[in-house]
């Protein structure tokens, strides 16, 4: 996939990625803090509490790094491309993954919008084939619906031409 041909995520996607990372940080910190409080309420050897504190600090540090670095890097690297014959997505933070789905293998298109996405007017497209699922994240909701409708028309056209096995 040529980067010049692929589309980036909209700017609101960076906010979704950042908010998701912050929510993960808050929930994980609360759960691990609660576990530490429960652990300290029992007669646990001091060494175990020191290890628990160190582990909590390590997890907290990783999550803070996740809040700072991941939204920016993931936003800059994420690209998607929809052609008449192929759908491609590139994503990743530490490793870059490229996924390809030939249009003739596409079986189902699903648009989904969770609470964080809805807050920013975004939606995700899930593309299903016999080999698995491919997702295009954080698109403006109207664009996601337009893409889904277009892909469904292409699926139906391929079925009519006999290039794809009819859906059961």
């Amino acid at each position: 996939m040529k980067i010049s041909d692929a589309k980036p995520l909209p700017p609101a996607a960076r906010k979704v990625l950042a908010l998701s990372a912050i929510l993960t940080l808050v929930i994980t910190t609360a759960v691990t803090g609660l576990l530490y409080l429960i652990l300290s309420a029992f007669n646990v050897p001091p060494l175990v509490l020191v290890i628990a504190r160190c582990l909590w600090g390590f997890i907290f540090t990783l999550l803070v790094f996740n809040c700072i670095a991941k939204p920016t890097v993931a936003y800059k690297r994420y690209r998607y491309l929809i052609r008449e014959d192929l759908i491609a997505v590139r994503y990743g933070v530490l490793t870059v993954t490229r996924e390809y789905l030939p249009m003739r293998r596409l079986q189902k298109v699903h648009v989904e919008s969770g609470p964080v996405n809805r807050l920013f007017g975004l939606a995700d497209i899930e593309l299903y084939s016999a080999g698995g699922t491919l997702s295009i994240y954080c698109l403006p909701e109207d664009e996601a619906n337009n893409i889904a409708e277009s892909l469904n028309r292409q699926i139906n056209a391929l079925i009519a031409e006999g290039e794809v096995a009819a859906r059961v």
Side-chain angles (χ1 to χ4, degrees):
M1 160 176 36
K2 291 183 183 176
I3 294 180
S4 61
D5 296 340
K7 292 183 181 181
L9 292 175
R14 178 181 267 163
K15 296 174 186 173
V16 168
L17 294 169
L19 185 56
S20 297
I22 290 168
L23 288 172
T24 301
L25 171 69
V26 169
I27 292 168
T28 306
T29 302
V31 168
T32 55
L34 183 63
L35 289 173
Y36 177 77
L37 286 175
I38 291 170
L39 188 64
S40 62
F42 295 100
N43 282 336
V44 178
L47 180 61
V48 173
L49 292 177
V50 169
I51 292 171
R53 277 190 210 126
C54 290
L55 187 60
W56 182 84
F58 178 71
I59 291 170
F60 184 76
T61 303
L62 287 177
L63 289 172
V64 167
F65 177 75
N66 184 51
C67 286
I68 295 168
K70 185 179 178 184
T72 301
V73 175
Y75 176 78
K76 286 182 179 180
R77 286 197 178 156
Y78 195 97
R79 296 283 185 270
Y80 70 96
L81 176 67
I82 301 173
R83 296 191 323 214
E84 190 173 309
D85 63 331
L86 178 75
I87 301 167
V89 177
R90 184 191 75 178
Y91 60 92
V93 176
L94 295 176
T95 61
V96 178
T97 303
R98 290 176 180 84
E99 294 184 353
Y100 302 94
L101 177 62
M103 196 63 72
R104 68 183 181 283
R105 304 257 185 218
L106 185 60
Q107 294 177 338
K108 178 182 169 186
V109 179
H110 175 75
V111 177
E112 182 178 289
S113 185
V116 176
N117 276 357
R118 280 195 305 273
L119 186 64
F120 295 98
L122 302 176
D124 301 334
I125 302 175
E126 301 288 330
L127 306 165
Y128 297 90
S129 71
T133 305
L134 180 66
S135 300
I136 303 174
Y137 297 111
C138 296
L139 298 177
E141 200 166 358
D142 57 340
E143 184 180 341
N145 287 324
N146 290 340
I147 290 171
E149 288 173 14
S150 172
L151 291 174
N152 276 322
R153 281 193 301 273
Q154 284 183 275
I155 292 170
N156 290 333
L158 288 170
I159 290 171
E161 292 172 6
E163 289 198 28
V164 178
R167 291 184 248 185
V168 179

